[in-house]
Amino acid sequence: STAVGSNLELALSVAALQGPCVYDFVFTYDGREIISSNALTVYDGPMITRVDPPKAVAGTATSISVTVQNIDALAPPTTLQWGPQILATETGPATQTSIVLIATIPASAPISQPLSAQRGGTVQADTEFAVAAPPPVLDPPCIPIAGNVQVRVTVFDQYVSSASIELEGSPLTNFQVESSAAYLTELLITMPAQAEARSFEGTITFDTARYHQITIEYFMPPKATIVPSEGLTIGGETRTINLVHFPRIRSTADLVVTMGGVTAGIVSVLSDASILVVPPPRVAGEVAVLITSTSSDPKFNDRRASSRFLYIPPPAAVTRVVPSVGKLEGGTTVTVYTQFFPRAFQAGDITCQLGTEGAQAKEVVFSDTLETVFLVDVPYFRTPGVFDLRVEIGGSVGAIPYGLLDSRISVHCEIFAAAVVFAIEDSVCGSNIALCGIDLSTAEYAVFEGSATNCPSDPSACSAMIYRGQIGPNDATSGAFWVSTSANAALLRGGAYTVVVRADGYHEVYQSFTVAKREESVSVSFARANGSPTRGAAWPDTPFTGATNMTLCASASSGGDLLSLVVT
């Protein structure tokens, strides 16, 4: 009726067919046959049209659903019978011509019997229903190529009197029949070694007449290496485990790692054959490392690789002493904290020495293999200083510095301060400052903390003024126009400072300097003015270098730098 793309729908008129029967359709198109199996069910009278599941497994009770159609209108009940055994009864009315029966096939040996639906004592419909024997179960299903492994084989066969086994044509003689009762027979087979890793096929024959096929898989034995192969007894350090011939690792849930029988934490999967683990704390010595696959696939589950790991004790250490300083005259009791020493049960287990003098352990506060805390009496000493407090417990030794002070001595410390002087010198005007027309009568200077380069505007707005002085007349003896003397020198600690010089009618000028060492000078030159001076000029944006700097001079008769400020 329709044809869309590669799909074809046909409306068929089916001729008279015999029933009950299940028919296949064979559709021929352009010389090709297309077969649709079990496509059409035709029944003439009662018929079992569906059994779900279509067969059962030997040794296991199985629930089934049976659909019967076109059943005769006879007096109920309707019964479902498998061989001689009635499985289910339905008491529905005679008018019910289609019925579903739910029943349980009991556990049995392999057998095939008629499954029939009856009503009014008459068989309405029947079909064959089989209980099939499952394949033998091998435990384990995979073994290493080295062989010599006992494999338990469960076969759904019963009451065996004799058995023989061959593996790819070679007879196996090292086996025994463990049990053989209704439905089940168990054998214990010692599998031989093989030269290669692959699946091997075999046959078990019971009573020379009943055959069962088996498959055993041989694999290369997994190997493991742990890097590094040693670590501290306290644990907690990560180690890498690399695996060969081990089932592929997809997540940390795919395997379990034990070290000396204790589970190790798996941090992460580095690759499908490499993991990162954290060894658990253990006592010193070598332990076995066992990596076991927990794969859900029976072929890979319980695969194991092994290695060795050496636990070594961490070095004994004295971690702290409280208090860390004592008096020469002794009488101080200190608390000593140690790690990784042997356990001390009493003060007599501990030997202490301070410098060359013996120190007496007084009391054990706490002790185990990780930490020991105890009290020590500090002895009398003649000279102050720092000495090693040496501790020995059970052959392990550690030490820590301990200070002894003479409490009769007092020390007074002062912070270094430099006497800083400032001088204004000339380079043109000579000794007579009036030649430059300079009036310093209103000049003053101030010192601020910090470098002026960090302040884009007036430094007094962003740092503290710590010193202030007046610039006086020429002292006529120093060779400078003006110089501060040692009597009025600014006492400054080491650090960065800025000096600012101000005078009425002139730009203010500044210079940054650092007090770092004695007898060091820093100078800056003031260039002559180009034009009349201005009051309230903005703070310069850059340090003073050459003719670009602000000026302290009103006018000059000659060129060049006129004055310089020297900070010493």
PDB file of all heavy atoms in Angstrom, residues 234 314 317 319-320 335-344 364-374 393:
ATOM      1  N   ILE A 234      55.257   5.737  60.125  1.00  0.00           N
ATOM      2  CA  ILE A 234      54.087   6.559  60.424  1.00  0.00           C
ATOM      3  C   ILE A 234      53.106   6.600  59.255  1.00  0.00           C
ATOM      4  O   ILE A 234      51.994   7.083  59.397  1.00  0.00           O
ATOM      5  CB  ILE A 234      54.501   8.002  60.791  1.00  0.00           C
ATOM      6  CG1 ILE A 234      55.322   8.632  59.666  1.00  0.00           C
ATOM      7  CG2 ILE A 234      55.261   8.019  62.095  1.00  0.00           C
ATOM      8  CD1 ILE A 234      55.667  10.075  59.896  1.00  0.00           C
ATOM      9  N   PRO A 314      61.230   6.491  61.454  1.00  0.00           N
ATOM     10  CA  PRO A 314      61.771   7.834  61.250  1.00  0.00           C
ATOM     11  C   PRO A 314      62.837   8.119  62.301  1.00  0.00           C
ATOM     12  O   PRO A 314      62.835   7.509  63.377  1.00  0.00           O
ATOM     13  CB  PRO A 314      60.553   8.745  61.425  1.00  0.00           C
ATOM     14  CG  PRO A 314      59.607   7.959  62.253  1.00  0.00           C
ATOM     15  CD  PRO A 314      59.848   6.521  61.932  1.00  0.00           C
ATOM     16  N   ALA A 317      63.734  12.338  67.284  1.00  0.00           N
ATOM     17  CA  ALA A 317      63.950  13.787  67.311  1.00  0.00           C
ATOM     18  C   ALA A 317      63.366  14.378  68.584  1.00  0.00           C
ATOM     19  O   ALA A 317      62.310  13.953  69.062  1.00  0.00           O
ATOM     20  CB  ALA A 317      63.307  14.450  66.095  1.00  0.00           C
ATOM     21  N   THR A 319      61.677  17.571  69.676  1.00  0.00           N
ATOM     22  CA  THR A 319      60.994  18.610  68.904  1.00  0.00           C
ATOM     23  C   THR A 319      60.942  19.961  69.606  1.00  0.00           C
ATOM     24  O   THR A 319      61.034  21.000  68.964  1.00  0.00           O
ATOM     25  CB  THR A 319      59.572  18.148  68.569  1.00  0.00           C
ATOM     26  OG1 THR A 319      58.881  17.819  69.798  1.00  0.00           O
ATOM     27  CG2 THR A 319      59.595  16.919  67.671  1.00  0.00           C
ATOM     28  N   ARG A 320      60.817  19.985  70.932  1.00  0.00           N
ATOM     29  CA  ARG A 320      60.805  21.273  71.632  1.00  0.00           C
ATOM     30  C   ARG A 320      61.020  21.077  73.124  1.00  0.00           C
ATOM     31  O   ARG A 320      60.813  19.978  73.666  1.00  0.00           O
ATOM     32  CB  ARG A 320      59.496  22.030  71.377  1.00  0.00           C
ATOM     33  CG  ARG A 320      58.238  21.344  71.822  1.00  0.00           C
ATOM     34  CD  ARG A 320      57.008  22.075  71.280  1.00  0.00           C
ATOM     35  NE  ARG A 320      55.773  21.368  71.577  1.00  0.00           N
ATOM     36  CZ  ARG A 320      54.821  21.827  72.375  1.00  0.00           C
ATOM     37  NH1 ARG A 320      54.969  23.003  72.976  1.00  0.00           N
ATOM     38  NH2 ARG A 320      53.713  21.143  72.587  1.00  0.00           N
ATOM     39  N   THR A 335      59.773  20.862  80.269  1.00  0.00           N
ATOM     40  CA  THR A 335      59.031  19.767  79.629  1.00  0.00           C
ATOM     41  C   THR A 335      59.652  19.505  78.263  1.00  0.00           C
ATOM     42  O   THR A 335      59.788  20.428  77.443  1.00  0.00           O
ATOM     43  CB  THR A 335      57.554  20.128  79.457  1.00  0.00           C
ATOM     44  OG1 THR A 335      57.001  20.483  80.731  1.00  0.00           O
ATOM     45  CG2 THR A 335      56.770  18.952  78.883  1.00  0.00           C
ATOM     46  N   VAL A 336      60.061  18.267  78.024  1.00  0.00           N
ATOM     47  CA  VAL A 336      60.743  17.886  76.786  1.00  0.00           C
ATOM     48  C   VAL A 336      59.779  17.050  75.939  1.00  0.00           C
ATOM     49  O   VAL A 336      59.181  16.087  76.425  1.00  0.00           O
ATOM     50  CB  VAL A 336      62.028  17.085  77.084  1.00  0.00           C
ATOM     51  CG1 VAL A 336      62.739  16.722  75.787  1.00  0.00           C
ATOM     52  CG2 VAL A 336      62.952  17.887  77.992  1.00  0.00           C
ATOM     53  N   TYR A 337      59.633  17.450  74.663  1.00  0.00           N
ATOM     54  CA  TYR A 337      58.756  16.752  73.720  1.00  0.00           C
ATOM     55  C   TYR A 337      59.629  16.047  72.682  1.00  0.00           C
ATOM     56  O   TYR A 337      60.503  16.671  72.064  1.00  0.00           O
ATOM     57  CB  TYR A 337      57.823  17.733  73.021  1.00  0.00           C
ATOM     58  CG  TYR A 337      56.831  18.403  73.948  1.00  0.00           C
ATOM     59  CD1 TYR A 337      57.209  19.505  74.710  1.00  0.00           C
ATOM     60  CD2 TYR A 337      55.529  17.934  74.057  1.00  0.00           C
ATOM     61  CE1 TYR A 337      56.300  20.127  75.567  1.00  0.00           C
ATOM     62  CE2 TYR A 337      54.616  18.547  74.902  1.00  0.00           C
ATOM     63  CZ  TYR A 337      55.009  19.643  75.656  1.00  0.00           C
ATOM     64  OH  TYR A 337      54.103  20.252  76.493  1.00  0.00           O
ATOM     65  N   THR A 338      59.395  14.759  72.473  1.00  0.00           N
ATOM     66  CA  THR A 338      60.180  13.978  71.511  1.00  0.00           C
ATOM     67  C   THR A 338      59.244  13.192  70.603  1.00  0.00           C
ATOM     68  O   THR A 338      58.072  12.974  70.932  1.00  0.00           O
ATOM     69  CB  THR A 338      61.135  13.003  72.219  1.00  0.00           C
ATOM     70  OG1 THR A 338      60.357  11.975  72.865  1.00  0.00           O
ATOM     71  CG2 THR A 338      61.998  13.716  73.246  1.00  0.00           C
ATOM     72  N   GLN A 339      59.799  12.754  69.460  1.00  0.00           N
ATOM     73  CA  GLN A 339      59.054  11.907  68.528  1.00  0.00           C
ATOM     74  C   GLN A 339      59.911  10.728  68.096  1.00  0.00           C
ATOM     75  O   GLN A 339      61.142  10.861  67.952  1.00  0.00           O
ATOM     76  CB  GLN A 339      58.635  12.702  67.286  1.00  0.00           C
ATOM     77  CG  GLN A 339      57.485  13.657  67.508  1.00  0.00           C
ATOM     78  CD  GLN A 339      57.021  14.296  66.213  1.00  0.00           C
ATOM     79  OE1 GLN A 339      57.806  14.482  65.288  1.00  0.00           O
ATOM     80  NE2 GLN A 339      55.747  14.646  66.131  1.00  0.00           N
ATOM     81  N   PHE A 340      59.247   9.577  67.916  1.00  0.00           N
ATOM     82  CA  PHE A 340      59.827   8.380  67.306  1.00  0.00           C
ATOM     83  C   PHE A 340      60.942   7.763  68.148  1.00  0.00           C
ATOM     84  O   PHE A 340      61.830   7.096  67.613  1.00  0.00           O
ATOM     85  CB  PHE A 340      60.330   8.684  65.882  1.00  0.00           C
ATOM     86  CG  PHE A 340      59.350   9.443  65.058  1.00  0.00           C
ATOM     87  CD1 PHE A 340      59.698  10.634  64.445  1.00  0.00           C
ATOM     88  CD2 PHE A 340      58.043   8.988  64.910  1.00  0.00           C
ATOM     89  CE1 PHE A 340      58.788  11.351  63.692  1.00  0.00           C
ATOM     90  CE2 PHE A 340      57.126   9.688  64.153  1.00  0.00           C
ATOM     91  CZ  PHE A 340      57.498  10.885  63.553  1.00  0.00           C
ATOM     92  N   PHE A 341      60.911   7.974  69.446  1.00  0.00           N
ATOM     93  CA  PHE A 341      61.784   7.247  70.365  1.00  0.00           C
ATOM     94  C   PHE A 341      61.082   5.968  70.797  1.00  0.00           C
ATOM     95  O   PHE A 341      59.847   5.875  70.737  1.00  0.00           O
ATOM     96  CB  PHE A 341      62.076   8.094  71.609  1.00  0.00           C
ATOM     97  CG  PHE A 341      63.186   9.097  71.440  1.00  0.00           C
ATOM     98  CD1 PHE A 341      62.933  10.356  70.920  1.00  0.00           C
ATOM     99  CD2 PHE A 341      64.485   8.790  71.803  1.00  0.00           C
ATOM    100  CE1 PHE A 341      63.947  11.288  70.763  1.00  0.00           C
ATOM    101  CE2 PHE A 341      65.515   9.705  71.665  1.00  0.00           C
ATOM    102  CZ  PHE A 341      65.247  10.958  71.140  1.00  0.00           C
ATOM    103  N   PRO A 342      61.839   4.959  71.249  1.00  0.00           N
ATOM    104  CA  PRO A 342      61.183   3.813  71.887  1.00  0.00           C
ATOM    105  C   PRO A 342      60.371   4.275  73.090  1.00  0.00           C
ATOM    106  O   PRO A 342      60.663   5.310  73.704  1.00  0.00           O
ATOM    107  CB  PRO A 342      62.364   2.925  72.307  1.00  0.00           C
ATOM    108  CG  PRO A 342      63.483   3.320  71.406  1.00  0.00           C
ATOM    109  CD  PRO A 342      63.300   4.780  71.144  1.00  0.00           C
ATOM    110  N   ARG A 343      59.389   3.508  73.430  1.00  0.00           N
ATOM    111  CA  ARG A 343      58.516   3.886  74.536  1.00  0.00           C
ATOM    112  C   ARG A 343      59.271   3.876  75.855  1.00  0.00           C
ATOM    113  O   ARG A 343      60.048   2.963  76.130  1.00  0.00           O
ATOM    114  CB  ARG A 343      57.327   2.935  74.593  1.00  0.00           C
ATOM    115  CG  ARG A 343      56.271   3.326  75.615  1.00  0.00           C
ATOM    116  CD  ARG A 343      55.079   2.394  75.539  1.00  0.00           C
ATOM    117  NE  ARG A 343      54.064   2.778  76.499  1.00  0.00           N
ATOM    118  CZ  ARG A 343      52.935   2.112  76.713  1.00  0.00           C
ATOM    119  NH1 ARG A 343      52.681   1.009  75.991  1.00  0.00           N
ATOM    120  NH2 ARG A 343      52.056   2.517  77.603  1.00  0.00           N
ATOM    121  N   ALA A 344      59.037   4.919  76.667  1.00  0.00           N
ATOM    122  CA  ALA A 344      59.645   5.006  78.003  1.00  0.00           C
ATOM    123  C   ALA A 344      58.556   4.743  79.040  1.00  0.00           C
ATOM    124  O   ALA A 344      57.534   5.426  79.061  1.00  0.00           O
ATOM    125  CB  ALA A 344      60.261   6.380  78.209  1.00  0.00           C
ATOM    126  N   VAL A 364      57.782  10.790  83.552  1.00  0.00           N
ATOM    127  CA  VAL A 364      57.245  10.540  82.212  1.00  0.00           C
ATOM    128  C   VAL A 364      55.787  10.965  82.207  1.00  0.00           C
ATOM    129  O   VAL A 364      54.959  10.430  82.948  1.00  0.00           O
ATOM    130  CB  VAL A 364      57.371   9.055  81.823  1.00  0.00           C
ATOM    131  CG1 VAL A 364      56.720   8.808  80.468  1.00  0.00           C
ATOM    132  CG2 VAL A 364      58.833   8.636  81.790  1.00  0.00           C
ATOM    133  N   VAL A 365      55.479  11.960  81.373  1.00  0.00           N
ATOM    134  CA  VAL A 365      54.109  12.455  81.274  1.00  0.00           C
ATOM    135  C   VAL A 365      53.284  11.573  80.340  1.00  0.00           C
ATOM    136  O   VAL A 365      52.147  11.215  80.627  1.00  0.00           O
ATOM    137  CB  VAL A 365      54.108  13.917  80.771  1.00  0.00           C
ATOM    138  CG1 VAL A 365      52.675  14.434  80.631  1.00  0.00           C
ATOM    139  CG2 VAL A 365      54.901  14.806  81.716  1.00  0.00           C
ATOM    140  N   PHE A 366      53.871  11.223  79.183  1.00  0.00           N
ATOM    141  CA  PHE A 366      53.179  10.399  78.190  1.00  0.00           C
ATOM    142  C   PHE A 366      54.226   9.735  77.318  1.00  0.00           C
ATOM    143  O   PHE A 366      55.253  10.327  77.010  1.00  0.00           O
ATOM    144  CB  PHE A 366      52.251  11.263  77.326  1.00  0.00           C
ATOM    145  CG  PHE A 366      51.631  10.514  76.175  1.00  0.00           C
ATOM    146  CD1 PHE A 366      50.533   9.707  76.371  1.00  0.00           C
ATOM    147  CD2 PHE A 366      52.173  10.597  74.903  1.00  0.00           C
ATOM    148  CE1 PHE A 366      49.967   9.013  75.314  1.00  0.00           C
ATOM    149  CE2 PHE A 366      51.611   9.910  73.845  1.00  0.00           C
ATOM    150  CZ  PHE A 366      50.503   9.111  74.061  1.00  0.00           C
ATOM    151  N   SER A 367      53.951   8.501  76.878  1.00  0.00           N
ATOM    152  CA  SER A 367      54.917   7.837  76.010  1.00  0.00           C
ATOM    153  C   SER A 367      54.257   6.738  75.201  1.00  0.00           C
ATOM    154  O   SER A 367      53.506   5.907  75.732  1.00  0.00           O
ATOM    155  CB  SER A 367      56.072   7.244  76.833  1.00  0.00           C
ATOM    156  OG  SER A 367      57.039   6.665  75.982  1.00  0.00           O
ATOM    157  N   ASP A 368      54.485   6.763  73.880  1.00  0.00           N
ATOM    158  CA  ASP A 368      54.207   5.636  73.001  1.00  0.00           C
ATOM    159  C   ASP A 368      55.279   5.655  71.917  1.00  0.00           C
ATOM    160  O   ASP A 368      56.267   6.374  72.028  1.00  0.00           O
ATOM    161  CB  ASP A 368      52.777   5.690  72.430  1.00  0.00           C
ATOM    162  CG  ASP A 368      52.519   6.925  71.584  1.00  0.00           C
ATOM    163  OD1 ASP A 368      53.493   7.625  71.226  1.00  0.00           O
ATOM    164  OD2 ASP A 368      51.342   7.197  71.274  1.00  0.00           O
ATOM    165  N   THR A 369      55.099   4.862  70.863  1.00  0.00           N
ATOM    166  CA  THR A 369      56.151   4.774  69.850  1.00  0.00           C
ATOM    167  C   THR A 369      56.201   6.001  68.952  1.00  0.00           C
ATOM    168  O   THR A 369      57.147   6.158  68.180  1.00  0.00           O
ATOM    169  CB  THR A 369      55.936   3.521  68.976  1.00  0.00           C
ATOM    170  OG1 THR A 369      54.616   3.568  68.416  1.00  0.00           O
ATOM    171  CG2 THR A 369      56.102   2.265  69.810  1.00  0.00           C
ATOM    172  N   LEU A 370      55.183   6.871  69.035  1.00  0.00           N
ATOM    173  CA  LEU A 370      55.188   8.078  68.212  1.00  0.00           C
ATOM    174  C   LEU A 370      55.691   9.293  68.986  1.00  0.00           C
ATOM    175  O   LEU A 370      56.442  10.106  68.460  1.00  0.00           O
ATOM    176  CB  LEU A 370      53.791   8.364  67.665  1.00  0.00           C
ATOM    177  CG  LEU A 370      53.223   7.352  66.685  1.00  0.00           C
ATOM    178  CD1 LEU A 370      51.826   7.762  66.237  1.00  0.00           C
ATOM    179  CD2 LEU A 370      54.126   7.194  65.464  1.00  0.00           C
ATOM    180  N   GLU A 371      55.293   9.444  70.248  1.00  0.00           N
ATOM    181  CA  GLU A 371      55.648  10.634  71.003  1.00  0.00           C
ATOM    182  C   GLU A 371      55.909  10.273  72.457  1.00  0.00           C
ATOM    183  O   GLU A 371      55.221   9.426  73.038  1.00  0.00           O
ATOM    184  CB  GLU A 371      54.528  11.683  70.912  1.00  0.00           C
ATOM    185  CG  GLU A 371      54.863  12.990  71.594  1.00  0.00           C
ATOM    186  CD  GLU A 371      53.740  14.011  71.480  1.00  0.00           C
ATOM    187  OE1 GLU A 371      52.575  13.590  71.368  1.00  0.00           O
ATOM    188  OE2 GLU A 371      54.035  15.213  71.501  1.00  0.00           O
ATOM    189  N   THR A 372      56.922  10.933  73.029  1.00  0.00           N
ATOM    190  CA  THR A 372      57.223  10.801  74.449  1.00  0.00           C
ATOM    191  C   THR A 372      57.399  12.195  75.024  1.00  0.00           C
ATOM    192  O   THR A 372      58.125  13.019  74.469  1.00  0.00           O
ATOM    193  CB  THR A 372      58.499   9.977  74.681  1.00  0.00           C
ATOM    194  OG1 THR A 372      58.287   8.643  74.199  1.00  0.00           O
ATOM    195  CG2 THR A 372      58.843   9.915  76.165  1.00  0.00           C
ATOM    196  N   VAL A 373      56.709  12.467  76.136  1.00  0.00           N
ATOM    197  CA  VAL A 373      56.798  13.758  76.825  1.00  0.00           C
ATOM    198  C   VAL A 373      57.228  13.479  78.259  1.00  0.00           C
ATOM    199  O   VAL A 373      56.634  12.624  78.932  1.00  0.00           O
ATOM    200  CB  VAL A 373      55.447  14.496  76.791  1.00  0.00           C
ATOM    201  CG1 VAL A 373      55.560  15.848  77.476  1.00  0.00           C
ATOM    202  CG2 VAL A 373      54.954  14.662  75.353  1.00  0.00           C
ATOM    203  N   PHE A 374      58.249  14.209  78.722  1.00  0.00           N
ATOM    204  CA  PHE A 374      58.741  13.974  80.088  1.00  0.00           C
ATOM    205  C   PHE A 374      59.299  15.274  80.666  1.00  0.00           C
ATOM    206  O   PHE A 374      59.540  16.254  79.943  1.00  0.00           O
ATOM    207  CB  PHE A 374      59.799  12.865  80.112  1.00  0.00           C
ATOM    208  CG  PHE A 374      60.980  13.119  79.225  1.00  0.00           C
ATOM    209  CD1 PHE A 374      62.131  13.728  79.723  1.00  0.00           C
ATOM    210  CD2 PHE A 374      60.954  12.751  77.880  1.00  0.00           C
ATOM    211  CE1 PHE A 374      63.223  13.965  78.906  1.00  0.00           C
ATOM    212  CE2 PHE A 374      62.048  12.987  77.059  1.00  0.00           C
ATOM    213  CZ  PHE A 374      63.180  13.595  77.579  1.00  0.00           C
ATOM    214  N   ILE A 393      66.853   7.268  74.665  1.00  0.00           N
ATOM    215  CA  ILE A 393      65.853   6.311  75.148  1.00  0.00           C
ATOM    216  C   ILE A 393      66.021   5.041  74.331  1.00  0.00           C
ATOM    217  O   ILE A 393      65.874   5.067  73.100  1.00  0.00           O
ATOM    218  CB  ILE A 393      64.422   6.846  75.003  1.00  0.00           C
ATOM    219  CG1 ILE A 393      64.253   8.197  75.688  1.00  0.00           C
ATOM    220  CG2 ILE A 393      63.420   5.842  75.563  1.00  0.00           C
ATOM    221  CD1 ILE A 393      62.881   8.822  75.474  1.00  0.00           C
TER     222      ILE A 393
END
